[in-house]
Amino acid sequence: GAGVSQSPRYKVAKRGQDVALRCDPISGHVSLFWYQQALGQGPEFLTYFQNEAQLDKSGLPSDRFFAERPEGSVSTLKIQRTQQEDSAVYLCASSPPKYQETQYFGPGTRLLVL
Amino acid sequence: SQQGEEDPQALSIQEGENATMNCSYKTSINNLQWYRQNSGRGLVHLILIRSNEREKHSGRLRVTLDTSKKSSSLLITASRAADTASYFCATDPNHSNYQLIWGAGTKLIIKP
């Protein structure tokens, strides 16, 4: 079946521009996670949804970062007034209802802020 | 902040040799997982070991977990060129909602 998809795969933004990153999880997956991965580092947790409820947003680095999942499926991560330090790969992962420990990752969106 | 630390940071071996990577973590955990990341591809789950398990096998992969030392190792036997990737350990802390805490990874290169 189809895996987690993310779009766009690459995004170049000018500093100060707003960006929106989309994640389509695997159908039926209840949990959805966003991570930020800097070059040469492991992913860092940003936020977690269970269905449409955002249960944990402790990892969002500033109030410029906002995530939503209004219908409990597709999720959007929005970054307002992008800064150069926002440049990273943004990873989305989902996990099924029964085996929530294992997360299935999308290919990521590579964001470059100039 | 990152919980896990992988060791070594980079490893280069000949095809056919075994590769061993280590991971140390800081807090008590429900489970520890290993993932692989190829350039241009997403993270792929390899194996999960629970806190009450000491060793687990999956194909050419062998994972050990020592909760008293807060450490884990991943052994890949009979390495292949396709094993070239970065390998990450991720822990599921007891207090989390399945939030995974990641190390910085080991970059493995298999030379033909």
Side-chain angles (χ1 to χ4, degrees), chain A residues 3-25:
Chain A
V4 178
S5 61
Q6 292 185 246
S7 61
R9 290 292 309 277
Y10 303 92
K11 177 70 179 177
V12 179
K14 292 182 180 177
R15 191 171 54 183
Q17 188 178 349
D18 296 350
V19 298
L21 312 180
R22 178 187 168 107
C23 172
D24 281 84

Side-chain angles (χ1 to χ4, degrees), chain A residues 10-44:
Chain A
Y10 303 92
K11 177 70 179 177
V12 179
K14 292 182 180 177
R15 191 171 54 183
Q17 188 178 349
D18 296 350
V19 298
L21 312 180
R22 178 187 168 107
C23 172
D24 281 84
I26 295 171
S27 178
H29 279 198
V30 169
S31 299
L32 186 145
F33 304 82
W34 283 98
Y35 293 89
Q36 181 189 61
Q37 186 177 23
L39 190 64
Q41 297 296 314
E44 294 233 9

